Amino acid sequence: MASKRIADEPAYVLHRYDWSETSLILEVFTRHHGRVALVAKGAKRPASSFRPVLLPLQPLSLAFGGDGDIRTLKSAEWVGGHVMPTGEALLSGYYLNELLMRLTARDDPHPHLFEVYAAAVRLLASGDPDAMQWALRAFELLLLKNMGLLPALNLQTLTLKPLESEGSYTLLPEAGLQWVPEDSRYALRGAQWLALQAALDAPSPMAALLRECADLLGPLQRPLRLMLNYHCGVGALRTRQMMLDLQTL
C-alpha cells in the first residue's frame, strides 16, 4: 500500500529536537492535519536545504509522506510575510507553541485555530508591545474555546443564571464563570464578559477579541493563566516562567 503524500501544506514549526547526528524530529502545526510529527533527514548537515528554513514562528509550506506516527518531511519552503519576532515577542511566540504542544493532539485538525495562531504570530512580529498582549489574551481565549475547555461567558456556569451587567464575575478552572464580591481583584463586570462572548461568536473572532482585550489585559491575565495551567496539568508553563524570570533580572 502506497504511503499518503501531503503537498503544499501551510505549517509552522512548534518544536524540534535531535533524532540523530544529522536529523531532526519536528512537531509542526498544519492547517489541514493539525499537529504532526515529522523526521527531517539530514536537516543538521551544513549543506541541507532544510537548515535555514525550519525555524519557529515562520510560515512554511511543507510536503511530507508516510503512514506512521512520525512521517517523513520531503520539502519545506518559507512563504514569507513577516520577520522573526525578537526579545519578549519571541518568548511569547514560544509560549503559544508550548500551549499548542500541550493542549492539541496529533493528527487532530483545527483549521480555524491555525488561522488564529497565524494572526497572533503576525502581531507578535509587528513589534508593537500593546498588540502583543492583546494577541496573547485573544489567542488564549480562542484556544480554550476550540479545545472545548472554555465555558459560556454569558451565563454563570454552575447555576446557568444570566449575568447582571454591573455584577462581578471571575473565571475559575473547576467552577467556570461565577459571581464574586465587587472588590475581587481578578473580576470583570458582567457586561465585559458578555462583550467577550459576543466577540468569540463574531464572524471574525480574533479581530473582535483584539478590540475587547485592549481594555481588559490586567483582569483577564490571571484567570486565563489559571485555566491554562489547570488544563495543561502544570503549576506554571515553562515559557511563562522564563518570561517572569527575565523580568526580575
Side-chain angles (χ1 to χ4, degrees), residues 35-240:
R35 183 161 64 88
V36 177
L38 303 174
V39 57
K41 295 180 179 178
K44 293 165 63 178
R45 293 192 178 112
S48 171
S49 61
F50 290 147
R51 191 179 177 93
V53 176
L54 298 177
L55 301 174
L57 308 176
Q58 293 294 292
L60 305 176
S61 178
L62 304 182
F64 55 89
D67 297 312
D69 292 336
I70 300 178
R71 281 161 270 186
T72 301
L73 181 65
K74 302 296 184 181
S75 68
E77 296 180 4
W78 179 62
V79 299
H82 60 76
V83 299
M84 174 77 79
T86 59
E88 188 176 353
L90 179 62
L91 279 177
S92 295
Y94 288 150
Y95 167 69
L96 300 187
N97 289 357
E98 184 178 1
L99 288 177
L100 288 173
M101 287 287 293
R102 289 183 179 273
L103 291 179
T104 62
R106 284 181 181 170
D107 302 306
D108 184 16
H110 292 280
H112 175 68
L113 183 59
F114 179 89
E115 298 303 332
V116 168
Y117 173 82
V121 170
R122 288 194 295 270
L123 284 169
L124 294 181
S126 72
D128 183 336
D130 292 331
M132 178 179 71
Q133 293 301 321
W134 305 340
L136 291 178
R137 301 294 83 77
F139 180 83
E140 289 167 344
L141 283 164
L142 286 165
L143 173 63
L144 287 167
K145 181 183 178 183
N146 274 267
M147 295 296 102
L149 303 174
L150 185 70
L153 301 182
N154 56 359
L155 298 169
Q156 297 183 60
T157 304
L158 298 180
T159 65
L160 299 183
K161 292 181 179 179
L163 306 187
E164 298 179 6
S165 295
E166 295 302 319
S168 294
Y169 304 88
T170 194
L171 190 61
L172 299 173
E174 295 184 346
L177 196 63
Q178 71 172 33
W179 179 88
V180 290
E182 189 174 341
D183 59 353
S184 294
R185 184 177 179 185
Y186 299 109
L188 275 67
R189 289 184 292 105
Q192 294 171 315
W193 287 115
L194 292 170
L196 287 171
Q197 184 63 55
L200 286 165
D201 294 336
S204 299
M206 184 68 173
L209 281 171
L210 289 173
R211 292 190 293 270
E212 296 299 333
C213 289
D215 297 324
L216 302 175
L217 293 179
L220 264 181
Q221 186 175 28
R222 182 165 177 79
L224 289 178
R225 185 183 304 166
L226 290 175
M227 287 281 288
L228 289 163
N229 288 352
Y230 175 80
H231 290 296
C232 289
V234 296
L237 292 161
R238 288 189 305 163
T239 44
R240 176 64 69 183

